[in-house]
Amino acid sequence: MPKLTFIGHACFLVTEGAQRIIIDPFITGNPQAAVKVEEVDVTAILVTHGHGDHLGDAVDLSTRCNATIVGVYELAMYCQKQGAAAHPLHIGGARQFDFGWVKMTPAWHGSAGGDNNEYLGVAAGVLLTVGGKTIYHAGDTGLFGDMKLIGDRHPIDVAILPIGDNFTMGIDDAAEATRMLHPKKVVPCHYNTFSLIEQDPEEFRAQVGTAAECLIMKPGDEVEI
Ligand code: NI
Ligand code: MN
């Protein structure tokens, strides 16, 4: 059974056997981070978009752990220029890697980063299937109707959704996203890291109701999925 660990903000670790897959590894400078970056050992790195609170420590982890970064083409090329190993995918594209199956999904958001805030392609979400379980990490996004298409075509065990509002969906829209994606479980993220995105996750749980099991994870929490 794969395990899901919440590192903090939008950063999650998925482990299955020898595989340790980190998503959006913002650890250095993350006020919620449950670990220090030097304690982290990974076999793969998925990045939804180039903003600093998602790309985070990806390049350093890639070089230190000899782990490949998977992201959209422009972001992957940027990471390669920084000396990282990176595999480009793009929206709608999927690939079976050694560590699992990944498909990039749309997200309505921007994506620029690096020292010069350069264009790093479009923002994305990711579907990750490992050990027979499918995790959907929406990245940073507003609500969009094609979430229903994603949920209908890919049975989702755990959906990880931002609820912080301001930059992404807020609670109302994330609850609607849950109904469209119809996952077994939903985990809210991207809230309470900074004052601009303060939210009460219990209000999200109440709005989700019976649409999915809502897991409110604290940084450092680990669950079997
Ligand atoms: Ni962002
Ligand atoms: Mn963000």
Side-chain angles (χ1 to χ4, degrees):
M1 298 275 268
K3 285 192 183 125
L4 179 72
T5 306
F6 183 41
I7 306 291
H9 192 53
C11 179
F12 288 80
L13 180 71
V14 180
T15 58
E16 162 73 5
Q19 298 300 337
R20 301 175 57 76
I21 305 143
I22 198 164
I23 307 173
D24 284 355
F26 169 49
I27 300 166
T28 303
N30 178 350
Q32 290 189 345
V35 292
K36 293 198 172 75
V37 70
E38 52 271 25
E39 298 165 352
V40 175
D41 186 24
V42 295
T43 55
I45 303 160
L46 310 185
V47 182
T48 62
H49 65 292
H51 290 161
D53 60 320
H54 298 261
L55 180 60
D57 298 290
V59 169
D60 289 346
L61 281 173
S62 171
T63 51
R64 178 166 61 75
C65 303
N66 197 24
T68 298
I69 297 170
V70 177
V72 299
Y73 175 83
E74 295 83 353
L75 178 61
M77 293 306 108
Y78 170 81
C79 292
Q80 286 181 6
K81 269 195 294 179
Q82 309 302 310
H87 181 99
L89 292 178
H90 230 303
I91 305 293
R95 188 174 181 84
Q96 181 68 50
F97 294 91
D98 290 346
F99 61 84
W101 179 88
V102 179
K103 184 174 188 179
M104 306 297 299
T105 63
W108 279 104
H109 194 68
S111 183
D115 291 341
N116 302 313
N117 219 31
E118 65 189 272
Y119 170 72
L120 298 178
V122 295
V126 291
L127 284 159
L128 167 67
T129 302
V130 288
K133 301 286 183 172
T134 297
I135 296 148
Y136 170 61
H137 188 303
D140 280 359
T141 186
L143 178 66
F144 55 92
D146 284 351
M147 285 182 176
K148 178 157 186 354
L149 185 64
I150 294 170
D152 286 352
R153 290 181 56 74
H154 303 284
I156 295 167
D157 292 287
V158 182
I160 297 168
L161 302 179
I163 66 162
D165 220 334
N166 195 84
F167 299 112
T168 68
M169 294 187 282
I171 285 173
D172 290 8
D173 284 351
E176 181 63 18
T178 307
R179 290 186 284 273
M180 287 200 285
L181 292 159
H182 49 83
K184 290 195 179 113
K185 295 173 183 171
V186 64
V187 178
C189 73
H190 211 277
Y191 67 96
N192 291 355
T193 321
F194 313 107
S195 58
L196 268 177
I197 55 173
E198 276 174 14
Q199 295 293 340
D200 178 2
E202 291 297 344
E203 191 187 330
F204 175 65
R205 188 205 299 279
Q207 289 207 26
V208 166
T210 57
E213 181 188 349
C214 182
L215 302 178
I216 296 172
M217 298 179 75
K218 293 189 297 294
D221 281 357
E222 179 184 281
V223 291
E224 271 197 355
I225 55 175

